[in-house]
Amino acid sequence: MRTPLCRAARVVTVVLLAACAAPRSEVAIARANDNRVAAGERVGDTLTLRLIAQRAKWFPASDSGPSITIGTLAVEGQQPVVPAPLVRARLGTLVRMSLRNTLTDTLVLCTPLSSTCAPRDTQPILPGATRELSFVADRAGAYVYHAVKLSGHKLIVGTELSGLVGALMIDTTDAPRANERIFVIHGWQKTGDDSGPFMLAMNGKMWPHSEHFDLAVGDSVHWRVLNATGSDHPMHLHGFYFRVDARGDLARDTLYAPNDRPFVVTENVRPLQSALISWAPARPGNWLFHCHKGSHMSGQQLYHLAGIAPPDSFATHDASDHVAKTMAGLILGISVRDTATAQVADAPPAARRIRLHAREVKQFYHDKSSAYAFALDERTPGDDASRTVPGPLLTLTRGEPVEISVINELRAPTTVHWHGIELESFYDGVGGWSGSTGALAPMVAPSDSFVARFTPVRSGTFMYHAHADEIRQLASGLYGAIVVLEPGARWNPETDHVLLFSQRGKDDSAIVALNGGEPADTIRLRAGKTHRLRFINITVEDDVSGTLHAHSDSTPLSWRVVAKDGMTTPAARVKPTPARVYMGPGETMDAEVTLGAGDYTMDVRSFNNFPVVLRVRD
Ligand SMILES: [Cu+2]
């Protein structure tokens, strides 16, 4: 059966390298590598590093919990680490690496600055052999380096994604930045056929055993995120925007000019890419930085690690269980303490009250399974009350306090996350985590309710969605769009259009749909007017891409991207660009387009492909 898990697993190609029947011997214990200490010896302008590829037991959760035996890298004479040792050198350094292969597979060492790792220029390292490799660190940035398995003349896709991956960091200065950290996202999958159970970790540990950050209001942090897996990871920060300072891949890492650094709440880091992000917590409380793909943050991974089939549902009434057992994988916890100078204003009384009901709608999907749907007591402007899924469009006003009562009429507990909204931690929607010690947000039990209070500080396109048992609750329909308008502005359905992509149901026939529609909606536009297209991806774990073109010509039209994740693009940076979109789950993007009369198509590519038709008439 195709479940959302194996749907994700299709693109997570991770192979257990040590599964290749190495002779039984004493297996070393690997420790989690937090990437704070660089490996090797530096003498003058030369860094020398001797690595050994060896089998070792990796403990992705607790150090005393279950382990898996994988191929790892160690510095000669030291304990193996997962991910592989941090190679860090100043720009211009001569890096001399050697790799001794004690595994039973032939390996190739791929370092971004020295080789593309295409089969023709590989240097096979036979079992038992050692090879040396030198290169000048001539491109600043952060890169993934990895050893992969060579079989015949082919590199085995996926084998690089075991424990043989690490970070290569080339600095322009010796001075470390405050709160600078490097995170390597890596994974493991039981089988090499893309369908088996998998686990994902950051710096060798999966939530709830991943690193927890204690920060103070106003601290600044600079994080390098490197994706050493075969899957996209849309990394989402709760409560705050972060600035994207640099993006890179195996070839180069590009530091953006100061005025070209976007502020986002979700950045999709694709395979073997990196991102340098900076942010400063402005409000105290508990927050998360996590991958937005449902299975990548699901407690299923703890079951896979323990070798137990996970349950069908991850609903829990117990808030502490929610944190410890139903969430796992690519999540970092952040606790921000208040400082003497920080002022947290009491929420002013809300003039606007909204009652949002979470309800079960029986026999809704193809397989007759129920929808979990949001509904309002009263309609809001722009909402299409004929829709069950997605939930109602919430049109809010910048600066206007709002109180939203979430009334849970489901049989399962839930919580609602106001995605992209800069609010107090307690209302952020992670049961057992949001808030601070002594005042943690609860799970919203069946027949119970929770009142979220916030005042939107910026206008833009946001979303709300369940933040509990995501694989079931997001697949079942618990999500909707939030559009925050400027004071005095009114929702104009003639020129303002929400295009929300989501997964309809969790059975084998589940598809990605636009605004809940099957087939996708036809959108009718007035010719000659400037239209704002507000794209939202709240699929469980599918990337969505699309190109807008005339029916008769596949050349992309041009549009202007005016916002990302609700953050308005500075006017100086808005320019016509080809009308293409590529979004991971948890991203929003606003584009403005002006079209003449005619028929246009947006070819949407996702788990399934479908056209969105725009009919433009005078
Ligand atoms: Cu992910």
Side-chain angles (χ1 to χ4, degrees):
M1 184 174 118
R2 179 172 63 74
T3 63
L5 170 63
C6 51
R7 169 200 291 246
R10 271 184 321 115
V11 288
V12 181
T13 47
V14 184
V15 165
L16 177 56
L17 211 134
C20 312
R24 291 190 71 82
S25 60
E26 198 62 23
V27 177
I29 304 287
R31 70 174 167 79
N33 175 12
D34 65 10
N35 278 307
R36 292 160 84 116
V37 178
E41 290 165 23
R42 198 164 112 178
V43 178
D45 286 337
T46 304
L47 174 71
T48 305
L49 195 70
R50 292 182 194 86
L51 298 175
I52 304 176
Q54 65 181 97
R55 296 171 80 222
K57 286 183 180 171
W58 171 39
F59 296 80
S62 155
D63 285 343
S64 57
S67 68
I68 46 177
T69 300
I70 58 172
T72 64
L73 293 180
V75 172
E76 185 109 46
Q78 295 180 14
Q79 187 178 6
V81 290
V82 176
L86 170 63
V87 181
R88 187 160 198 173
R90 196 168 170 178
L91 194 64
T93 301
L94 173 65
V95 180
R96 298 180 61 186
M97 291 172 80
S98 67
L99 178 60
R100 181 156 69 87
N101 181 9
T102 72
L103 301 173
T104 53
D105 293 302
T106 299
L107 296 178
V108 175
L109 182 62
C110 305
T111 56
L113 308 182
S114 62
S115 161
T116 61
C117 234
R120 58 183 152 68
D121 51 30
T122 53
Q123 295 255 324
I125 312 169
L126 299 172
T130 301
R131 276 212 182 259
E132 294 194 354
L133 177 145
S134 302
F135 59 90
V136 175
D138 61 356
R139 266 167 273 161
Y143 306 89
V144 174
Y145 79 94
H146 52 283
V148 297
K149 176 178 164 183
L150 185 70
S151 179
H153 296 293
K154 283 189 174 167
L155 297 177
I156 302 302
V157 175
T159 52
E160 74 268 36
L161 307 171
S162 184
L164 305 175
V165 296
L168 167 65
M169 178 84 201
I170 310 297
D171 298 304
T172 52
T173 166
D174 285 330
R177 280 179 100 168
N179 295 316
E180 184 201 67
R181 292 297 303 276
I182 298 165
F183 301 103
V184 174
I185 296 172
H186 60 105
W188 169 90
Q189 188 158 25
K190 188 171 183 179
T191 56
D193 62 3
D194 295 352
S195 65
F198 65 87
M199 298 179 309
L200 291 158
M202 293 178 84
N203 284 354
K205 289 290 184 186
M206 58 201 285
W207 174 277
H209 303 277
S210 54
E211 202 164 336
H212 183 131
F213 289 83
D214 284 304
L215 302 174
V217 167
D219 280 352
S220 64
V221 292
H222 307 279
W223 288 353
R224 300 261 181 187
V225 180
L226 288 96
N227 178 1
T229 75
S231 173
D232 289 13
H233 299 298
M235 301 305 295
H236 173 55
L237 180 64
H238 281 225
F240 310 100
Y241 282 84
F242 58 85
R243 194 181 66 208
V244 182
D245 292 340
R247 287 301 310 260
D249 55 21
L250 288 183
R252 56 187 35 81
D253 195 0
T254 303
L255 188 65
Y256 296 149
N259 290 333
D260 286 338
R261 298 176 180 179
F263 286 85
V264 302
V265 298
T266 307
E267 184 73 359
N268 195 6
V269 187
R270 304 191 67 186
L272 304 177
Q273 287 189 349
S274 69
L276 171 61
I277 68 170
S278 297
W279 64 281
R283 280 158 280 120
N286 291 335
W287 307 97
L288 296 176
F289 179 62
H290 68 89
C291 175
H292 214 281
K293 292 191 169 179
S295 64
H296 296 192
M297 60 175 298
S298 166
Q300 285 181 336
Q301 295 166 96
L302 294 169
Y303 284 78
H304 297 323
L305 176 61
I308 303 168
D312 190 42
S313 167
F314 273 77
T316 177
H317 297 261
D318 182 323
S320 59
D321 270 6
H322 175 246
V323 171
K325 295 178 182 168
T326 76
M327 296 171 13
L330 296 184
I331 307 174
L332 297 178
I334 301 146
S335 295
V336 179
R337 63 183 181 277
D338 219 341
T339 57
T341 52
Q343 295 287 318
V344 181
D346 285 338
R352 176 99 185 266
R353 290 191 169 84
I354 292 173
R355 288 168 61 82
L356 188 66
H357 302 257
R359 288 182 179 143
E360 186 167 341
V361 181
K362 293 205 180 295
Q363 302 206 329
F364 184 80
Y365 292 112
H366 283 135
D367 66 340
K368 305 294 182 212
S369 63
S370 298
Y372 289 177
F374 285 120
L376 292 175
D377 280 354
E378 294 171 28
R379 286 191 61 189
T380 67
D383 180 40
D384 176 357
S386 67
R387 292 249 192 240
T388 304
V389 170
L393 169 65
L394 301 183
T395 38
L396 309 179
T397 302
R398 180 174 63 80
E400 184 185 278
V402 62
E403 271 185 25
I404 306 178
S405 297
V406 176
I407 299 140
N408 186 1
E409 298 170 16
L410 303 168
R411 287 175 292 172
T414 190
T415 58
V416 179
H417 172 53
W418 314 96
H419 181 118
I421 301 285
E422 295 147 279
L423 42 46
E424 299 303 325
S425 172
F426 186 73
Y427 304 116
D428 188 48
V430 185
W433 180 258
S434 299
S436 52
T437 310
L440 295 175
M443 299 298 291
V444 190
S447 305
D448 205 349
S449 63
F450 179 81
V451 180
R453 296 185 174 87
F454 58 87
T455 303
V457 297
R458 71 185 72 243
S459 54
T461 305
F462 306 93
M463 64 179 106
Y464 62 99
H465 62 79
H467 211 290
D469 198 9
E470 284 83 356
I471 291 177
R472 169 176 285 270
Q473 297 200 355
L474 286 186
S476 300
L478 287 182
Y479 45 77
I482 298 174
V483 171
V484 179
L485 301 170
E486 282 295 301
R490 300 184 70 174
W491 173 259
N492 183 354
E494 195 172 82
T495 54
D496 228 328
H497 314 274
V498 170
L499 292 90
L500 181 149
F501 298 101
S502 64
Q503 178 183 315
R504 280 183 61 85
K506 67 187 290 287
D507 72 309
D508 280 0
S509 60
I511 59 164
V512 171
L514 171 69
N515 295 339
E518 303 174 58
D521 281 347
T522 292
I523 298 172
R524 290 178 169 77
L525 305 178
R526 285 276 302 280
K529 292 246 181 195
T530 297
H531 296 269
R532 188 175 184 116
L533 308 178
R534 299 174 182 266
F535 293 99
I536 298 173
N537 181 350
I538 185 59
T539 59
V540 181
E541 47 203 4
D542 288 309
D543 302 312
V544 170
S545 61
T547 304
L548 178 63
H549 57 84
H551 249 355
S552 51
D553 179 356
S554 63
T555 311
L557 299 168
S558 140
W559 65 20
R560 296 172 303 285
V561 175
V562 293
K564 163 79 168 75
D565 294 345
M567 177 67 81
T568 302
T569 311
R573 287 182 47 212
V574 175
K575 54 181 184 294
T577 52
R580 288 198 184 96
V581 63
Y582 186 98
M583 305 169 78
E587 291 191 276
T588 80
M589 189 196 88
D590 294 19
E592 285 186 350
V593 67
T594 312
L595 298 170
D599 287 344
Y600 302 85
T601 304
M602 183 143 186
D603 296 313
V604 176
R605 294 182 187 281
S606 188
F607 183 69
N608 53 294
N609 299 330
F610 58 96
V612 176
V613 176
L614 278 68
R615 288 199 197 289
V616 184
R617 298 289 180 262
D618 290 325

